[in-house]
Amino acid sequence: MSAGELDRAVELLVRQVGHWQQPRWAATAAGGNVSRADLVHRLVQEIANLAADAEGGPRRVVPRLDNDLALPDQLRVVAADLVAAAPPPEVLARAAAEVTATRGAL
């Protein structure tokens, strides 16, 4: 798995949700009991955790901003942090799989 493949998975998700307004974010994710926004925020936190682990630093809580429209940007930032940490390919593969699974659940 390469950084380019993770970038592509993130871009596909961002294209899918980037135009959503608040009611769409608040809707329940497919097959779940959480909102779409909660699901994407959970993904952002997971990618941030992978980045912290790859950097050898402490894990930090990603703030849940008041405006869900910021979630695509948060995802881009934490994914860029992960790529910058130069993790092993299996970590990039795990991150891409998480992004793809989240995309499918939306």
Side-chain angles (χ1 to χ4, degrees), residues 15-74:
R15 281 189 212 161
Q16 179 179 342
V17 303
H19 63 281
W20 286 3
Q21 296 301 311
Q22 192 58 43
R24 205 153 177 197
W25 281 108
T28 302
N33 59 358
V34 298
S35 72
R36 291 169 169 167
D38 289 340
L39 189 65
V40 173
H41 185 263
R42 189 178 307 153
L43 172 66
V44 168
Q45 183 65 62
E46 179 61 27
I47 302 294
N49 290 344
L50 291 173
D53 293 348
E55 293 169 347
R59 290 183 173 189
R60 295 184 179 91
V61 175
V62 176
R64 180 64 191 270
L65 303 176
D66 291 335
N67 189 343
D68 293 331
L69 303 180
L71 285 166
D73 290 332
Q74 281 187 304

Side-chain angles (χ1 to χ4, degrees), residues 1-4 6-7 47-57 77-93 95:
M1 174 62 64
S2 70
L6 174 59
D7 289 341
I47 302 294
N49 290 344
L50 291 173
D53 293 348
E55 293 169 347
V77 168
V78 296
D81 288 346
L82 177 58
V83 169
E90 57 271 10
V91 173
L92 293 173

